[in-house]
Amino acid sequence: MQSPPIVAIMTAMEITRPSELLRQTLVGRVRAVFNDTENGEQPVPPSDEALFERDSPIRLVHADAVSMMIGGIRSLLLQMLHPHALQGVLDHSNFREDMHGRLRRTAKFIAITTFGHHDEAEKMISRVNRIHEQVHGSLPDGTRYSARDPETLAWVHAAEATSFLEAYLRYVRPSMPLAEQDRYYAQFAIIARKLGADPVPQTRVEAEQLMRHFRTQLRSSAEAKEIARLVLTQKPDNAPPAIQKILGTTAVQMLQPFARNMLDLRHPGLAYVPARIGAKTIGKTLRWAFQQ
């Protein structure tokens, strides 16, 4: 009888190593948070024919699970301060019953448009554009809003891009060169323009200028505060409560003081110290697990 190939033997030995079992367990837990595995949803396989080449800034930033979760929470808190973005969520979303589902769908959009085959990315963008066509209505004062409004889309994009990159700089790569940061904004702008956003920042300086431009349009409201509470107290399936607490604490700390005040959120104070350590530790562990 022919003996098993040496590669197969080594692979079997590798899988039985405790460290490899731990790595696979961690990968499985994270994938279960971001994918509706009960309904057969699978992770997005990275493609060499994506909209962006491998190891480019957008793929590096969007690949880090922990900083993306922190940035995602911060981004959503910011977005709800814009009356048009807020009203669209209130009128056309079941966020109260399925906050985790909403965040999971956003993560899936980011994954497909960043890492998926360019054909799949274009299909996803077209699908979101069709959904946005149905999202329109009126503010309490009678002002009309639409999810296809270029400036509202620009606000959502700017809140996401600045939050994702800021979290990456803070928790993964503080020394990221400014030229790479600018390239991140230029790459992410490609997706934003396909969604109809305008204006779209191409550099870090332009992103900061655009955020200052939107500052006068933001409003505090009971509804925005309610969503903030829901976002920060959600308990996603397969995510330990302690980790969710760390993510929420670090996201709130990253908010500008005016945004915290408008949402009735307090600076975490000394609680930020262990949360920051926890976020960095979890981030390093997951980068090891995903072999990044």
Side-chain angles (χ1 to χ4, degrees):
M1 185 174 72
Q2 186 177 10
S3 60
I6 187 63
V7 173
I9 295 176
M10 292 180 66
T11 301
M13 292 174 62
E14 179 72 14
I15 291 176
T16 58
R17 288 172 53 190
S19 61
E20 180 61 16
L21 291 173
L22 173 61
R23 190 187 71 79
Q24 293 184 4
T25 298
L26 289 172
V27 169
R29 290 288 295 273
V30 172
R31 286 177 172 169
V33 172
F34 289 105
N35 298 276
D36 189 358
T37 53
E38 292 184 0
N39 292 316
E41 191 174 69
Q42 297 296 318
V44 176
S47 173
D48 286 326
E49 297 182 75
L51 293 176
F52 313 102
E53 66 271 22
R54 288 182 183 269
D55 297 327
S56 61
I58 193 170
R59 289 181 66 150
L60 293 175
V61 172
H62 291 179
D64 190 78
V66 170
S67 63
M68 283 297 286
M69 286 189 283
I70 295 171
I73 294 171
R74 178 187 188 264
S75 169
L76 188 54
L77 295 174
L78 277 174
Q79 289 174 38
M80 294 305 97
L81 290 173
H82 193 291
H84 291 215
L86 171 64
Q87 199 63 44
V89 170
L90 294 175
D91 292 346
H92 298 273
S93 173
N94 63 338
F95 68 93
R96 291 183 178 88
E97 297 78 25
D98 190 26
M99 178 62 75
H100 184 208
R102 175 184 171 82
L103 296 175
R104 178 186 281 162
R105 289 187 291 274
T106 299
K108 182 64 67 174
F109 175 83
I110 293 292
I112 291 175
T113 54
T114 304
F115 305 102
H117 190 281
H118 61 80
D119 288 341
E120 294 303 313
E122 296 289 357
K123 288 178 184 177
M124 174 59 79
I125 291 168
S126 295
R127 179 186 175 195
V128 170
N129 281 333
R130 289 194 298 272
I131 293 172
H132 284 173
E133 291 286 356
Q134 310 303 315
V135 179
H136 52 79
S138 299
L139 303 182
D141 65 2
T143 302
R144 299 292 297 173
Y145 74 85
S146 169
R148 291 290 290 155
D149 174 65
E151 191 157 287
T152 302
L153 288 165
W155 162 248
V156 172
H157 169 72
E160 288 182 345
T162 55
S163 295
F164 294 154
L165 183 58
E166 179 62 27
Y168 183 76
L169 292 171
R170 188 168 301 195
Y171 293 98
V172 183
R173 193 182 171 200
S175 61
M176 184 180 191
L178 181 58
E180 288 189 36
Q181 296 179 45
D182 287 346
R183 191 172 173 216
Y184 169 77
Y185 280 109
Q187 289 182 309
F188 207 178
I190 293 172
I191 299 173
R193 284 195 297 268
K194 289 177 181 292
L195 290 170
D198 185 53
V200 178
Q202 297 279 337
T203 66
R204 182 184 180 98
V205 170
E206 289 182 4
E208 293 170 349
Q209 291 173 341
L210 189 59
M211 292 297 286
R212 287 195 293 270
H213 162 75
F214 278 114
R215 172 68 180 87
T216 59
Q217 300 180 26
L218 307 185
R219 299 289 182 271
S220 177
S221 68
E223 292 80 6
K225 295 172 186 178
E226 177 195 5
I227 293 178
R229 287 193 297 272
L230 287 173
V231 169
L232 294 172
T233 58
Q234 61 164 318
K235 297 178 180 178
D237 298 335
N238 303 303
I243 292 180
Q244 183 60 26
K245 180 67 174 178
I246 288 172
L247 298 176
T249 299
T250 49
V252 170
Q253 191 278 335
M254 275 178 52
L255 278 174
Q256 304 94 321
F258 78 81
R260 285 197 298 267
N261 291 337
M262 294 174 78
L263 292 168
D264 278 352
L265 299 174
R266 298 180 61 183
H267 187 284
L270 291 177
Y272 171 61
V273 176
R276 178 183 174 87
I277 294 172
K280 287 195 170 188
T281 301
I282 296 168
K284 288 179 181 178
T285 302
L286 292 186
R287 286 192 290 279
W288 164 77
F290 281 89
Q291 300 181 332
Q292 295 172 332

